[in-house]
Amino acid sequence: MGRLCDKCIQLMHDFVSFVKRLSTRIVEKIQECVVRLNECCFMSRKTRVRQLYEPVLQKHERQAAQDFLDHMEAGLQSSPLGKETLDALKILAFSENADLQHSAALYYLHMSQHLNAPLPAEYLGPYQALLQSSDLEVQQMSSLSLVNFLLEGNLNKELVVHVGLLEPVLELLESGDSAVQCNSCACVMTLAMSESNREAIGVAGGILPLLTLAKSYDPRVQQNAVGAILNLTRSERIKSILCRKGALPVLTLLLQSDDAEIQYYSCASLGNIAANPDHHQAMLAIGDGFILSMLVSLMSSSVQKVSSQACLCLNNLASTGEVRTHLLSMDIMPFLLTLLNSSNKDVRQASITLLCTLSHPPGSVEAALCEEMLRHLAALMQTERTNPVVLIHASCTIQNLIREENMEMIIHSPCFEELLLALVNPCIEEEELQYVAACVGELAKHDITRVQVIRRKEKALIKRLVQLAGQLEHRELSFQAASVIKELSYSGNVPIGNSLLVISSSTPTVPDTNM
């Protein structure tokens, strides 16, 4: 079903308001006429004006209301989840009387703020009626209590969808009330943390309403809507649906938001979508690469999580040489290097990940920039010696910089020392060591490296390489360590001691270490 634009919605609101004002004046005129008729001498006998409709409480509804009041007076400490309570809630929730529904919704809200135990599944039954109530306050309270239960872990997310509450929650996304919109978006955002729920939300048609609310003028609604979209982008199939439904322009424009949370959610959503190269063309086509300019701008955000996500999103987009060349032409390297010294760990890790990607060919690194990169890398490696993300990406970055004209800078920089220290560090795991060994192996193909290692006369290093080469259960690491020894052996002076290593000529080629 099509939806009205914001201007038409406002026009409808103005029309409804006009009709209400007009109706009020008509009622006042009618009342005035009735008063005058009553004052007429021909109506000396007082007559009672009969109400057109008076909601009549059934006996069981009156009893349920009384039980509810008694229970509220006793508090939640006695028996908040007893059978009597559930029976009363069912009667109140399914009543046609708005006041009784209001009482049930209020009780659920009270429970959601005080309950310290899981909410039994049978208590979800009355929610269907409360969420679909025609009373706005009932909708507000019931949707808020459902959010509270989910956030506090008192409700199983899959169970909520299984019992059929997803459809009424999604219906509330189209409410005209901002509080209901905010609560229902928060519900969807929390439910979408579950993989199976993400698929259900996509199938039930929840994507278009979320994209509409992502453009809301209410920042609370916007935050929750984009937060829900972020959780949905963790599903590969839903990412494709989002792209088809027009999510990319919406999320890209939200990068300009003044709200840091909205910036973060939209940036992270785009980063998840960009993890699949199939979406890159569509993303880069928006405004002729506008997304790259916005992400580069957000790298300098004072909000560290926004800066971190901008780096990660750029890293995912920079999978092609064309994009890497374009980013380098934007002169982002100087600022990217400063992020390596950030006080925030996530920013440091995200920035070195992007640096590693940008160092891949065909990007050309001038000598001055290479020296600056090595200086910042060395400082980071010295302070993060056991950080696997730093060690892996630093090793790959240095390996990407290996050219004849850069060799002297690399060997005489502290980075080379840090690589050798990592090889003999017993705290480094095998996965990180294979990248370090691969980098050292590439360096060892040059005479200047072999001469430098032989001069150091570090038998501990050679002994460690021999040990790693013998770890056949870690084939990749074993091969890389053996390759280092092989390259060093060309000098003819490698102090292996009593160890003997036979290197097969049929050893497989070194795999691509690009991250």
Side-chain angles (χ1 to χ4, degrees):
M1 181 182 293
R3 293 180 57 83
L4 296 175
C5 67
D6 293 342
K7 185 180 292 185
C8 293
I9 291 174
Q10 185 59 50
L11 184 62
M12 290 297 296
H13 287 167
D14 295 342
F15 176 74
V16 171
S17 299
F18 171 75
V19 171
K20 286 181 177 179
R21 290 195 301 270
L22 184 62
S23 301
T24 301
R25 289 197 294 270
I26 292 175
V27 170
E28 290 174 352
K29 287 293 184 181
I30 293 174
Q31 289 176 340
E32 183 180 343
C33 290
V34 170
V35 170
R36 289 182 179 179
L37 286 172
N38 285 334
E39 293 173 351
C40 177
C41 59
F42 290 98
M43 296 187 66
S44 57
R45 297 175 63 182
K46 300 295 181 182
T47 59
R48 183 180 177 184
V49 180
R50 185 174 61 87
Q51 293 183 356
L52 294 177
Y53 173 73
E54 180 180 356
V56 178
L57 289 181
Q58 300 298 320
K59 182 178 180 180
H60 68 286
E61 291 180 330
R62 292 180 182 276
Q63 184 60 46
Q66 185 60 51
D67 292 344
F68 170 80
L69 292 174
D70 294 342
H71 197 75
M72 288 297 289
E73 290 178 0
L76 284 174
Q77 301 300 324
S78 54
S79 57
L81 301 176
K83 182 179 182 302
E84 296 80 4
T85 304
L86 178 59
D87 292 340
L89 284 173
K90 286 180 178 178
I91 294 173
L92 298 178
F94 287 97
S95 170
E96 294 182 1
N97 187 287
D99 289 336
L100 295 187
Q101 285 191 323
H102 190 281
S103 299
L106 181 63
Y107 187 73
Y108 272 108
L109 181 60
H110 189 57
M111 275 204 300
S112 72
Q113 295 168 341
H114 297 87
L115 192 66
N116 295 319
L119 186 71
E122 54 267 24
Y123 273 79
L124 291 176
Y127 259 115
Q128 185 91 19
L130 295 177
L131 292 172
Q132 294 180 322
S133 171
S134 59
D135 186 271
L136 183 59
E137 287 190 11
V138 173
Q139 293 177 0
Q140 291 173 343
M141 288 189 292
S142 57
S143 58
L144 179 57
S145 64
L146 187 58
V147 173
N148 291 342
F149 282 130
L150 288 167
L151 291 177
E152 292 298 324
N154 292 329
L155 266 181
N156 180 279
K157 300 177 184 64
E158 290 80 5
L159 178 63
V160 172
V161 175
H162 180 71
V163 299
L165 292 185
L166 178 60
E167 184 177 349
V169 168
L170 294 181
E171 288 175 356
L172 292 182
L173 292 175
E174 304 188 49
S175 168
D177 180 71
S178 59
V180 174
Q181 291 174 347
C182 183
N183 295 340
S184 55
C185 281
C187 277
V188 177
M189 178 170 63
T190 311
L191 292 173
M193 295 173 68
S194 160
E195 182 177 356
S196 61
N197 286 353
R198 289 193 282 269
E199 300 297 321
I201 292 168
V203 171
I207 291 177
L208 275 179
L210 287 173
L211 290 175
T212 300
L213 294 180
K215 297 178 283 187
S216 170
Y217 293 113
D218 189 318
R220 301 171 307 158
V221 176
Q222 240 187 342
Q223 277 187 20
N224 289 341
V226 185
I229 293 171
L230 170 58
N231 287 340
L232 289 174
T233 59
R234 294 188 171 95
S235 164
E236 197 62 44
R237 196 175 77 86
I238 300 300
K239 281 194 287 189
S240 298
I241 297 176
L242 281 165
C243 292
R244 290 199 301 270
K245 297 291 185 180
L248 293 179
V250 174
L251 293 171
T252 302
L253 289 175
L254 288 176
L255 295 176
Q256 302 179 93
S257 173
D258 295 329
D259 189 297
E261 285 297 313
I262 294 174
Q263 285 182 336
Y264 170 74
Y265 287 145
S266 55
C267 196
S269 299
L270 289 168
N272 288 344
I273 295 173
N276 186 341
D278 293 341
H279 302 307
H280 287 190
Q281 185 177 356
M283 296 177 75
L284 296 171
I286 299 172
D288 192 22
F290 174 73
I291 188 172
L292 295 180
S293 301
M294 283 306 307
L295 290 171
V296 169
S297 174
L298 289 179
M299 285 172 58
S300 59
S301 172
S302 59
V303 181
Q304 293 171 328
K305 65 180 182 179
V306 174
S307 175
S308 171
Q309 283 299 327
C311 288
L312 293 176
C313 188
L314 283 170
N315 178 72
N316 289 342
L317 284 170
S319 61
T320 65
E322 183 181 357
V323 174
R324 291 195 292 273
T325 301
H326 181 71
L327 287 174
L328 289 173
S329 70
M330 297 172 70
D331 197 29
I332 72 169
M333 273 297 190
F335 183 72
L336 178 59
L337 292 177
T338 64
L339 292 181
L340 296 179
N341 301 323
S342 170
S343 60
N344 183 271
K345 181 179 178 180
D346 291 336
V347 174
R348 293 195 300 270
Q349 293 186 164
S351 57
I352 195 172
T353 302
L354 177 57
L355 179 65
C356 177
T357 299
L358 293 179
S359 67
H360 286 298
S364 58
V365 179
E366 298 177 355
L369 180 56
C370 179
E371 186 175 3
E372 189 72 6
M373 289 173 66
L374 290 170
R375 185 172 66 83
H376 283 85
L377 281 172
L380 182 60
M381 293 174 74
Q382 288 168 345
T383 56
E384 299 264 11
R385 282 178 171 158
T386 58
N387 186 324
V389 175
V390 170
L391 199 52
I392 290 173
H393 289 89
S395 300
C396 291
T397 303
I398 296 169
Q399 186 171 345
N400 291 334
L401 293 175
I402 296 176
R403 294 180 183 83
E404 194 63 44
E405 62 270 22
N406 295 336
M407 284 306 302
E408 189 169 350
M409 275 189 292
I410 296 174
I411 296 304
H412 290 101
S413 77
C415 289
F416 183 62
E417 177 72 21
E418 290 300 319
L419 289 171
L420 299 183
L421 287 174
L423 282 175
V424 298
N425 189 339
C427 298
I428 306 300
E429 298 293 332
E430 286 76 9
E431 183 181 0
E432 298 97 85
L433 283 174
Q434 79 178 46
Y435 290 98
V436 176
C439 180
V440 174
E442 286 298 311
L443 290 170
K445 293 179 180 179
H446 297 261
D447 291 337
I448 187 174
T449 306
R450 293 194 288 266
V451 170
Q452 187 73 11
V453 173
I454 298 306
R455 281 179 180 174
R456 296 167 67 96
K457 296 182 180 180
E458 290 190 13
K459 292 186 178 181
L461 173 62
I462 305 302
K463 183 179 180 181
R464 175 64 166 163
L465 287 170
V466 173
Q467 177 190 4
L468 295 176
Q471 293 184 7
L472 299 181
E473 65 274 19
H474 303 291
R475 296 182 59 186
E476 183 63 30
L477 175 59
S478 173
F479 168 71
Q480 297 295 353
S483 298
V484 175
I485 297 173
K486 179 181 178 180
E487 295 297 335
L488 293 177
S489 66
Y490 290 146
S491 67
N493 296 307
V494 180
I496 301 181
N498 296 325
S499 301
L500 178 62
L501 180 67
V502 178
I503 302 177
S504 172
S505 59
S506 62
T507 306
T509 57
V510 180
D512 182 11
T513 57
N514 294 344
M515 296 300 292

